Structures are given as C-alpha cells and as structure tokens.
Amino acid sequence: MQTYSPPIEDYGFLMREVLGFDAAMAELGLEVDADLASAVLEEAGKLCAERLAPLNREGDEQGSRLVDGVVVTPLGFADAYREFVAAGWPALAGDPAHGGQGLPFLLQLWLDEMLSAANLSFGLFPGLTRGAAEAIAAHGSDALKATYLEPLVTGQWTGAMALTESSAGTDLALLKTKAEPLGDGSFAVTGQKIFISSGDHDMADNIVHLVLARLPDAPPGVKGISLFLVPKILPDGARNTLSVGALEKKMGIHAQPTCVMHYDGAVGWIVGEPNRGLAAMFTMMNAERLMVGIQGLGIAGAAYGQAAAYAKDRLQGRSADGATGPVAIIDHADVRRMLLNIRVFVEAGRALAGWTALQLDRAKHHSDAGERAKADAMVALLTPVVKAAFTDFGFESAVQAQQVLGGHGYIREWGMEQYVRDARIAQIYEGTNGVQAMDLVGRKLPLGGGAVVEGFFALIDADLDAAGDAGAVVAQTRVALALLRDVTAGLRGAGVEETGAAAVDYLRLFALVSFGWMWARMAAAPGDSALHQSKRQLADYYAARVLPQAHGLAAQVQAGAGAMMALEAGAF
C-alpha cells in the first residue's frame, strides 16, 4: 500500500543552510522567516499525508466518470477539495489584492511537490487554476479581473487550459476553433478541444476555460490566434453552451478528468490583444511547466520513500561475504544503486526548485527593476530544464523504485505501478520534453546575447569557489561545467538540424551540472549532524556515480546531426 512522509526536515535544512531564505526574504521586504515557512509546510504536509494520500489509490481505481454529460470525480475528492479551499491552500502565494495570502512562491512550489507526491490527480486541479489566474492577472481587462480573479485565486472556482485539437497539438498554427463577435464585447466560441485536464468536474461551482481560437479576420498561422475566457457558468448564472463529449481513457492520472470539450457558440471574452493569444497563453503555460516539473520530483520522492521502506524490510539473499542470510535487500549493492540514484536526484531537484522559486520571488518583489529583470531571465532559462529534466528523472526514478520491489512493484497492491503510470504523462503534457530541450537551446541560450546563461555559469563558479574543500562533488562539478561551457559555445550559431540533434542531450547535461551545483552547496553546509553527514555522503555518490555521465553527454552533443539524419526516411 502507498504511504507518504513529507520531507519537512529537508525543507528546513534547505531554507536555513543552503538557500539563505531569511536573508532573501529580508531583502525583498517580506515578513516571513524559515520558522514560519517550516510551520506552514508542516501543516501542508499533514494535509497531504493524512487527507490526500489515502485517496490516491482509490481515485486511481475508481477514476472520474461521465454520467449524463456531467463529470463525477472519485469518492472523497470533492469533499477533500472543499477542505483544501476552506483551509486557504489555493491562495497560499496569491496576490492579496485578489484574496491571496502573498506568501513566497517557494512555499507554493514545495506545496506542489507534496501534492504531487501524495495525489497527483488532485494536485492538478489547484495547479491549473493558479495558472489561469496568472494569465488573467497579466493580460485580462479590468472587468475580467474584477469578476474572475478572486474566486480563482481562492480556489472557489477552478481553471482549465484549452489549447489542443485533434489536428493541432504542438503546432498550434493548425487550430480551427472560431470566435465570432456578438456585438456587445463578447464572442461566440465554437470548436472542439481534446486533452483538457480539469475540463469538467463536481468539485467547484464554476470552471473558467481559457480557450485559443481564431477571430473571423485573423491572419493565418500562430499570428492569428486569440485567447478567450469561456466560463462554464456565465455571470448571470446561466449555463454556458460548452459540454464534455468524452473522457479520455488514459495510462495514468485516472482520477483527473481529461476531457474532450465541445464549445457550441459558448460565450467568452477576449483576454489580451486580438491575435496575440499565444503571448497571453504562455503566461499560463510557463507557470504550468514549472508545476509539471515539480510533479516529476514529487512522484520520485514518494516512490523513493516506498522503495526504501520495502528494501529495509524485505529479506532476500545472503550478505556480500556469504556469511549470513537472508538479509534485508538494502544490503545489496544493486538495490543501493537504484535507491541512491533516486535520492540524489530528489534532494538536488528539491534544492534547485527552491532556488528557482526564490528567483520568481525576486522577479516579483525586488525593489530594483534591474534585479527583477535578471531574476526573471534566470527563471526563463531554467523553466525548460525544470520541466524536462525533473520529469525525465522523475519517471526514471519511479521505474527504479518499482524495480527495487521486483514482482511486488508490478502488481497493484504496493502502489508502485501507479507511480510509474502517473509519472509518464509529465514528460508529455505542457510541451513534450523534446520541445522543452529545443526551447532551451534555440530560445533560452541566446537570451541577452548569451549573457543570461553565462551569468548562470558564473553563479555556479562562485558557489564552487565558496564551497572550497566540500568534497569530490566540487571538483567533479567544475569538470562537468567546463564540458557544458564548451558545448554551449559550439551550439552558438548552429543550424536548426544541429541544435535539434543536440537539444535533449544538452538539456540533460545542463541538469546534471545544475544538480552538482546544488550538491556542492549542500555539502558545504557546516555541521556534524546525521543530516549533514548524509548530505556529504550523497554528494560523494553523485560525484562518483552520476556526474561522470557528463562526458558521454558532451560527446553526444558534439557528434552533430550527421549520423542521426543519414538514414533515409523510407528506411525507417
């Protein structure tokens, strides 16, 4: 069976000894310290462990159902969501002007980790809602903000993002949904969308859809796409003309209703400028990409906890010297390898997520415009890395945790197979990981003429200098950073084919270096407690067994596109 233990001690360690949380909050003028933040996270952890985790397996088995055109979520989900809202969790980092609590985004991102670990399907409801609120806040009219922001920020209403059509996935230039002006400032939106998470459910009184569509005089391609707010319930209380055609039958996240949505002249209002819908939608998508990355991290952490507990309890085989047996499988080197591979990702990923969240707080709250811009650029650089690397490593971690359990990992009883199934979608939605890698290489490396990525490398250099003699991870991260710098220089000015061939390997190398940076910072934290000692031992493992992969990845990037593109298409 599934159990979940929130990583509250690790959050406290990161805030107090690695990320400089108190100093960062003081610089930003936020009256929050690590003690308060830890108390908030502890309460969130109790909710996730005691209320949401017990619903995870039952929700997976029941799934959401379409009954007479209405989506019914699994037993207990609606009640749990109402409790979640009543306790104020959706509003945690929201703008106080719209009912939010204004707490640091760091707390929100780590709450997302715990939600994903405890019950990924549930966590998608508030996550999508937060993204919708951010898009409306950034691009909506004053009238739309006045009507929709507070109920979304507080979670009274939920949000959904409607982009994909059967013939328009990543290439949104092909979308066909239309929006006709009704003469009173509203529009009639007509079309079909697929893969719409939280498109309908029984957990909130209203669902606010953000829908991409074309105006009658729109130019072709992506330059002719506009964004529309289409609510399930109109401001006058009437039911809008949108409906669920079907629920997708999926590999995982069964409790999350993934809908085929029909918009039959549904009334909506434009968000942002006409034909500039992608700019508005990307506000939501970028927020969601960070959240999706954290989903991979959360599932990896939950799977690790389950696998480590099993490995300490399961007796199998003899000791290495053959003298005793049976022994707990945690004594076998290969089982340790799998568990350590998961753990060094989870703890470094948690640290990197925290650092990225602090940059978001700087971009929002810093008094100096230049500092806000620098922080925002860092977030832009790291967003595809967090989304793709965390979900790739997250899925790999779930598979390794399943392997620790052997045959018990393959059957439903222990819950490991659900983690594998649920984790898989995170590599696909909100832009597949290959697309994220191409975004990193094609769009993010050139930011500021290359100054942003060079600034990031300089931060790592400075921290490695400060870490001094914190162990092998410092020297090995320096080596990997030098490789990353070399291949970064080699990709500057490269053509589309070359960057496309290199992108996935480049992003993974970028992530390995970033994790090494975090391990160097953790290893350098002074102290002799059991926690400090374990951090240094984990950093040594990362340096010895994971960072050497950087050499192979750099060689793959430098190999170019030739061998990849040589085979004629017809020969596949």
Side-chain angles (χ1 to χ4, degrees):
M1 65 181 175
Q2 294 171 338
T3 58
Y4 175 59
S5 180
I8 305 304
E9 184 183 32
D10 206 37
Y11 292 144
F13 167 76
L14 290 174
M15 285 189 289
R16 293 181 178 91
E17 303 192 50
V18 179
L19 299 176
F21 180 79
D22 286 357
M25 294 300 100
E27 182 183 9
L28 300 179
L30 299 178
E31 297 180 358
V32 183
D33 61 16
D35 290 341
L36 174 59
S38 293
V40 171
L41 290 167
E42 186 172 0
E43 287 303 309
K46 290 178 183 177
L47 171 78
C48 291
E50 298 171 8
R51 189 70 179 92
L52 301 181
L55 296 174
N56 194 37
R57 179 173 166 182
E58 292 180 9
D60 179 63
E61 292 177 346
Q62 293 177 29
S64 285
R65 297 171 294 124
L66 187 61
V67 180
D68 296 329
V70 177
V71 172
V72 179
T73 54
L75 188 66
F77 268 58
D79 288 341
Y81 184 74
R82 283 188 282 271
E83 293 172 26
F84 186 77
V85 171
W89 293 113
L92 188 66
D95 188 341
H98 305 296
Q101 299 176 41
L103 288 170
F105 190 75
L106 175 76
L107 300 186
Q108 180 63 67
L109 214 58
W110 281 345
L111 169 59
D112 286 345
E113 180 192 350
M114 290 188 283
L115 287 171
S116 300
N119 194 323
L120 177 58
S121 289
F122 183 95
L124 278 163
F125 291 100
L128 288 162
T129 302
R130 189 171 69 247
E134 290 182 13
I136 295 166
H139 302 282
S141 66
D142 289 343
L144 290 180
K145 292 177 186 179
T147 302
Y148 292 97
L149 273 184
E150 184 164 336
L152 286 171
V153 168
T154 60
Q156 298 296 324
W157 296 349
T158 65
M161 179 169 57
L163 289 74
T164 307
E165 300 178 6
S166 58
S167 61
T170 300
D171 189 358
L172 291 170
L174 302 175
L175 71 82
K176 298 176 181 178
T177 300
K178 300 292 185 183
E180 300 279 347
L182 293 174
D184 60 357
S186 65
F187 296 80
V189 177
T190 302
Q192 182 192 80
K193 299 287 184 177
I194 63 172
F195 305 158
I196 309 307
S197 300
S198 302
D200 191 56
H201 53 79
D202 56 358
M203 291 168 51
D205 295 333
N206 201 358
I207 304 168
V208 179
H209 292 236
L210 293 183
V211 184
L212 289 181
R214 294 186 184 280
L215 294 166
D217 58 351
V222 294
K223 294 182 179 179
I225 298 173
S226 300
L227 180 65
F228 297 87
L229 186 157
V230 182
K232 177 179 178 178
I233 306 297
L234 294 165
D236 64 3
R239 177 74 156 78
N240 209 349
T241 52
L242 55 88
S243 60
V244 183
L247 290 181
E248 305 287 2
K249 295 177 173 61
K250 312 183 297 273
M251 175 180 175
I253 56 169
H254 293 156
Q256 169 58 221
T258 306
C259 304
V260 176
M261 294 298 308
H262 297 294
Y263 303 91
D264 299 309
V267 177
W269 292 267
I270 197 164
V271 178
E273 298 296 320
N275 304 323
R276 295 277 297 159
L278 281 188
M281 182 58 81
F282 269 107
T283 297
M284 184 175 187
M285 286 188 69
N286 285 331
E288 301 305 332
R289 285 171 175 171
L290 287 175
M291 181 190 74
V292 169
I294 301 306
Q295 291 172 9
L297 177 65
I299 285 185
Y304 171 82
Q306 192 89 350
Y310 180 90
K312 287 184 279 189
D313 186 62
R314 173 72 166 173
L315 300 178
Q316 190 80 35
R318 303 189 67 80
S319 61
D321 61 5
T324 59
V327 296
I329 63 171
I330 193 69
D331 291 336
H332 299 318
D334 188 55
V335 171
R336 286 177 170 246
R337 175 189 63 82
M338 292 184 284
L339 291 173
L340 286 167
N341 284 344
I342 303 169
R343 187 164 170 182
V344 294
F345 155 61
V346 169
E347 295 190 16
R350 185 175 295 138
L352 185 61
W355 189 88
T356 305
L358 286 178
Q359 301 312 302
L360 277 161
D361 287 323
R362 288 178 67 83
K364 182 177 181 181
H365 297 292
H366 203 285
S367 59
D368 182 86
E371 290 298 318
R372 292 197 301 272
K374 283 169 58 178
D376 191 59
M378 284 294 173
V379 175
L381 175 68
L382 286 174
T383 293
V385 179
V386 170
K387 194 282 180 185
F390 282 31
T391 57
D392 280 346
F393 281 101
F395 178 72
E396 292 164 18
S397 295
V399 171
Q400 288 186 92
Q402 183 185 42
Q403 191 76 11
V404 169
L405 271 68
H408 290 292
Y410 196 70
I411 62 174
R412 183 170 292 266
E413 179 184 356
W414 290 86
M416 295 301 294
E417 57 87 31
Q418 183 187 347
Y419 290 137
V420 173
R421 289 186 290 104
D422 283 355
R424 185 65 182 92
I425 184 57
Q427 297 171 288
I428 298 171
Y429 58 16
E430 301 303 340
T432 63
N433 286 358
V435 170
Q436 302 303 313
M438 289 186 285
D439 176 54
L440 173 65
V441 174
R443 294 189 179 94
K444 301 305 169 58
L445 294 187
L447 286 174
V452 174
V453 70
E454 288 301 327
F456 182 69
F457 295 160
L459 285 174
I460 298 177
D461 264 334
D463 280 348
L464 294 177
D465 288 342
D469 59 353
V473 73
V474 176
Q476 291 301 316
T477 302
R478 286 192 192 281
V479 171
L481 177 60
L483 292 169
L484 180 59
R485 277 187 158 129
D486 285 346
V487 297
T488 301
L491 287 173
R492 289 196 181 101
V496 173
E497 194 169 88
E498 290 294 327
T499 56
V504 168
D505 294 322
Y506 179 87
L507 186 145
R508 194 174 183 94
L509 174 58
F510 198 107
L512 289 180
V513 172
S514 300
F515 294 154
W517 171 42
M518 288 294 114
W519 274 118
R521 292 179 69 149
M522 288 187 279
D528 294 317
S529 70
L531 178 64
H532 289 87
Q533 292 174 26
S534 72
K535 294 294 183 184
R536 295 183 191 115
Q537 290 165 343
L538 289 166
D540 286 344
Y541 178 86
Y542 187 79
R545 303 285 302 191
V546 180
L547 263 179
Q549 296 171 23
H551 295 276
L553 289 166
Q556 288 165 219
V557 171
Q558 292 169 332
M564 191 177 293
M565 304 304 295
L567 194 65
E568 293 291 335
F572 279 88

